[in-house]
Amino acid sequence: MPGEILIENLEKVHTTDMGAGRIMKNLGLKNEEPVEWCRNKIKGRDSRITRKGKNWYVETGSCIITVNAYSYTIITAHRKKPDETCRPGTK
């Protein structure tokens, strides 16, 4: 599986304060902690993980999460289409 390395190192996944704000804004998260939210999405059964160059890309539901493959820093997370939601329980 291509994403096994990312999943095996899930505890290393983190982001910066600025990254957390960007993730919350892009996904419309209000009360969720963005790193935990992303970790749960990454390990979800419907997640499709690919690696291109220095980044992992996790497609899950209507969201794409970008994680640096070396530092495990979440760079960003965003919706595939602006009119869709990434809220838990939606596709």
Side-chain angles (χ1 to χ4, degrees):
M1 236 171 105
E4 284 181 21
I5 295 170
L6 178 59
I7 292 171
E8 288 171 2
N9 290 284
L10 207 53
E11 75 282 350
K12 295 180 184 177
V13 171
H14 65 284
T15 195
T16 62
D17 289 341
M18 197 158 74
R22 182 172 46 248
I23 293 163
M24 291 179 74
K25 177 181 169 243
N26 290 349
L27 299 180
L29 302 178
K30 300 287 184 218
N31 298 319
E32 295 88 358
E33 201 284 316
V35 173
E36 281 305 309
W37 189 91
C38 288
R39 285 178 179 167
N40 288 332
K41 288 295 186 177
I42 291 168
K43 67 182 177 183
R45 291 190 332 186
D46 69 334
S47 294
R48 193 171 76 224
I49 303 171
T50 56
R51 182 169 171 179
K52 295 179 187 172
K54 65 180 182 173
N55 293 328
W56 291 105
Y57 295 91
V58 181
E59 289 189 53
T60 177
S62 62
C63 304
I64 300 173
I65 302 167
T66 306
V67 180
N68 181 280
Y70 303 107
S71 66
Y72 295 101
T73 304
I74 303 168
I75 310 287
T76 192
H78 62 276
R79 298 173 183 165
K80 290 182 192 175
K81 295 180 182 176
D83 61 331
E84 294 180 348
T85 181
C86 294
R87 305 296 298 167
T90 62
K91 293 203 177 202

